[in-house]
Amino acid sequence: MEYKHFSHQHTLTLYKVQPGQQFQCHGCHLPCNDSIFACWRCNFFLHDHCGNANRYVKHPSHSLHPLVLVPSPTYCSGSFLCNACGGPGSTFSYCCALCEVDLHVHCAYLPPKVSHKSHQHEVYLSFRPMDKKGSPEYCKICVKELSTKHWSYFCDKPECDFRVHTFCATSEVKPGLYLDDEPDDQVQIPASTGNQNTCVYQTQVTAASPEEVLAEMFQLQMQLQMAQQLNQIINSAKF
């Protein structure tokens, strides 16, 4: 099976990784242990889920704009910090250049709820920073400190004080693709509820096609970069 991916100049072939073989995905820099898309001429490999990732997603964590899949960071540094886990990245990311929002591919596809052997209830993905003040909170799985700025999984039962890192909760979950069951003319946005860590979704109409979304996002990025450069010129002229 041959496959053409926008991030690579050559056609890729689907390959089943054999026991003992080691490959690293170019899209997320994680090991490949199952099926991969491969360019043997360039030693370029993609996980099945990275190669099939949508070019843009309507992600509930950032309802203002679609996130666009880019093959490399748009920043001058050539890297980004993921808004979900706080970790660095230098390859594929889902990006909103206008708002400087960046997600690892595997973070963008985190399931909304998971079961973990360390807890008796299902835990839910929270996009909102923790609002606790005072002493730090620690992950109930790895016992390392939880960041107050990044996503986490929590138990919504009143009697449970269970919150964990996203990578701890999903360490045994096979990455999947982003599920968007809404029609193309609708986008999911979070509606407020009584529980600050729970998201409920409603739809908002937009008539833009995928191509128009991509064109608009890159246009906004260029406008933002021009505005930043103009601001730097104005500030430097004052001194």
Side-chain angles (χ1 to χ4, degrees), residues 30-47:
L30 295 176
C32 302
N33 300 314
D34 202 352
S35 296
I36 59 172
F37 291 106
C39 173
W40 301 106
R41 188 190 323 182
C42 303
N43 285 328
F44 178 92
F45 310 105
L46 291 177
H47 285 120

Side-chain angles (χ1 to χ4, degrees), residues 87-156:
S90 58
T91 52
F92 286 12
S93 67
Y94 276 105
C95 171
C96 174
L98 186 63
C99 301
E100 295 188 353
V101 170
D102 303 273
L103 298 177
H104 291 122
V105 174
H106 53 279
C107 287
Y109 294 147
L110 286 171
K113 62 180 180 179
V114 295
S115 297
H116 197 277
K117 60 185 180 182
S118 64
H119 192 65
Q120 65 271 33
H121 306 131
E122 286 186 319
V123 291
Y124 296 84
L125 180 61
S126 172
F127 305 129
R128 295 178 175 86
M130 294 183 296
D131 56 3
K132 289 189 175 182
K133 298 180 180 179
S135 59
E137 187 170 359
Y138 296 90
C139 174
K140 293 300 190 295
I141 295 178
C142 71
V143 201
K144 293 182 179 179
E145 186 173 348
L146 286 164
S147 169
T148 58
K149 299 179 180 179
H150 303 121
W151 300 0
S152 59
Y153 279 91
F154 73 103
C155 178
D156 66 346

Side-chain angles (χ1 to χ4, degrees), residues 1 7 14-15 17 21 28 33-34 45 48 53 55 66 72 78 110 125-126 138-139 167 172 184 196:
M1 175 183 174
S7 68
L14 186 63
Y15 177 76
V17 178
Q21 291 184 315
C28 64
N33 300 314
D34 202 352
F45 310 105
D48 183 26
R55 278 304 307 272
S72 58
L110 286 171
L125 180 61
S126 172
Y138 296 90
C139 174
F167 45 85
E172 298 178 357
D184 287 340
Q196 291 298 311

Side-chain angles (χ1 to χ4, degrees), residues 228-239:
Q228 291 173 336
Q229 292 175 358
L230 179 61
N231 186 55
Q232 290 176 354
I233 293 173
I234 293 174
N235 289 334
S236 62
K238 294 179 180 179
F239 297 98

Side-chain angles (χ1 to χ4, degrees), residues 59-101:
H59 202 280
S61 68
H62 186 67
S63 59
L64 293 176
H65 313 111
L67 302 182
V68 180
L69 181 64
V70 293
S72 58
T74 59
Y75 306 107
C76 297
S77 63
S79 63
F80 67 92
L81 292 178
C82 178
N83 288 73
C85 69
S90 58
T91 52
F92 286 12
S93 67
Y94 276 105
C95 171
C96 174
L98 186 63
C99 301
E100 295 188 353
V101 170

